[in-house]
Amino acid sequence: MFQRKNIMRPFEDETPLEFLSSKNDASLFLFGSHSKKRPNNLVIGRMHDHHILDMVELGIERYKALSEFQGGKCGLGIKPCLLFAGEPFERDHEHQRLKNMLIDFFRGPVVEKIRLAGLEHVLMFTAVDGKICLRSYKILMKKSGCRTPRIELQEMGPSFDFVMRRTKLASDDLYKRAKKRPKQAKPKKVKNVSVDPFGTKLGKIHMQKQDLGKMQTRKMKGLKRRAESKEGSSKKLRTASEAEAV
């Protein structure tokens, strides 16, 4: 499927996408196509149990490449900050599902703590006038005269203007079942076991108080010789004291 030019129409036939999902164990997909009827087309979607859960078709009306922006760029693998602006993301059902889908695409790994210097990239999605605008910014930290720096945003690209075309969303019952986390995936908390920042597993063992005097240690020849020499010296002292007494 990846090497051959096959005709794929996700909204008419979902079978090829579901086959690729099960073959490659993929839960998210992004499909691009171009035709006279729907030019510059993107289909973004996600799977549940290797079946289509949600699918949204977006048309690209304006695009500005990364090379067209001047200034510095972010490094690879940077976890972005996601910002959503616009009333449709709060009230419209389709935009709410699209927002949730975009979070799944761009959220990256889940972290517990954030370092201020590690915040370098912002992705902003704005829903206005029937369009969805995607802007990418680089975070610049300027001197502010205090401990907290002054933040400025510099657009670094790429830039998109999307228009929503077709949608295929899961029912509320299926969506609720898809969000349910299986018991096997929930981490089981083990008592007296912890992990340090370096990933080393540490365990606590609770024991009764031991008498170290009765503890059997490893027998060594060096210790035996010292004991025999002490007994020999004590015998010599005894014979010397007995001779003096006589």
Side-chain angles (χ1 to χ4, degrees):
M1 295 293 291
F2 295 105
Q3 298 177 357
R4 300 177 182 177
K5 294 183 179 180
N6 296 295
I7 298 176
M8 293 185 67
R9 297 185 178 92
F11 282 88
E12 284 78 16
D13 185 11
E14 305 171 356
T15 307
L17 287 176
E18 293 177 351
F19 169 75
L20 292 175
S21 171
S22 60
K23 185 177 180 180
N24 299 279
D25 194 19
S27 59
L28 300 171
F29 70 90
L30 181 66
F31 176 74
S33 61
H34 179 76
S35 63
K36 186 177 180 180
K37 186 177 181 181
R38 293 184 179 88
N40 305 321
N41 204 44
L42 284 179
V43 179
I44 180 173
R46 53 188 171 182
M47 303 283 187
H48 171 61
D49 196 19
H50 302 303
H51 294 284
I52 296 292
L53 179 66
D54 290 330
M55 194 162 45
V56 177
E57 187 178 58
L58 301 174
I60 302 175
E61 291 195 343
R62 192 189 69 87
Y63 168 69
K64 194 174 180 180
L66 186 69
S67 58
E68 299 180 27
F69 290 88
Q70 303 295 327
K73 305 294 189 291
C74 292
L76 295 175
I78 299 296
K79 184 179 176 67
C81 301
L82 302 180
L83 299 179
F84 293 88
E87 188 176 352
F89 283 127
E90 301 296 330
R91 296 188 177 183
D92 185 63
H93 180 66
E94 293 182 347
H95 282 77
Q96 288 178 350
R97 288 288 182 89
L98 177 61
K99 174 184 175 180
N100 187 267
M101 200 181 306
L102 292 171
I103 292 175
D104 286 344
F105 261 84
F106 295 104
R107 67 176 183 176
V110 180
V111 295
E112 296 180 357
K113 297 181 181 179
I114 300 176
R115 187 169 62 96
L116 182 61
L119 298 176
E120 301 181 17
H121 188 199
V122 173
L123 286 177
M124 185 167 185
F125 301 89
T126 306
V128 58
D129 297 333
K131 297 182 180 180
I132 300 171
C133 304
L134 168 59
R135 301 293 182 266
S136 179
Y137 298 97
K138 179 180 175 61
I139 299 177
L140 302 177
M141 297 185 183
K142 305 290 185 178
K143 293 183 179 179
S144 61
C146 59
R147 187 174 181 181
T148 305
R150 180 170 57 88
I151 302 298
E152 292 184 1
L153 297 180
Q154 178 184 359
E155 190 171 0
M156 67 173 188
S159 174
F160 293 89
D161 284 352
F162 298 109
V163 60
M164 188 179 295
R165 290 175 177 169
R166 292 182 293 178
T167 61
K168 185 174 183 179
L169 306 179
S171 61
D172 293 337
D173 295 337
L174 179 59
Y175 186 69
K176 187 176 180 180
R177 279 191 277 114
K179 292 195 301 180
K180 189 175 181 180
R181 194 174 182 184
K183 295 182 179 180
Q184 293 80 4
K186 294 181 180 179
K188 294 183 179 180
K189 188 176 181 180
V190 183
K191 293 183 178 180
N192 303 320
V193 176
S194 60
V195 180
D196 63 0
F198 301 100
T200 306
K201 186 181 289 187
L202 305 175
K204 293 182 181 180
I205 300 176
H206 299 276
M207 300 177 62
Q208 297 180 355
K209 187 176 181 181
Q210 291 183 333
D211 187 1
L212 300 180
K214 296 180 180 180
M215 184 182 295
Q216 184 177 359
T217 58
R218 186 176 179 182
K219 297 179 181 179
M220 297 177 62
K221 294 182 179 180
L223 297 175
K224 288 183 178 181
R225 290 175 183 175
R226 289 178 184 177
E228 292 175 357
S229 61
K230 288 180 180 180
E231 291 178 0
S233 60
S234 62
K235 287 181 180 179
K236 289 180 180 179
L237 291 174
R238 288 177 185 176
T239 53
S241 60
E242 289 176 358
E244 290 179 359
V246 174

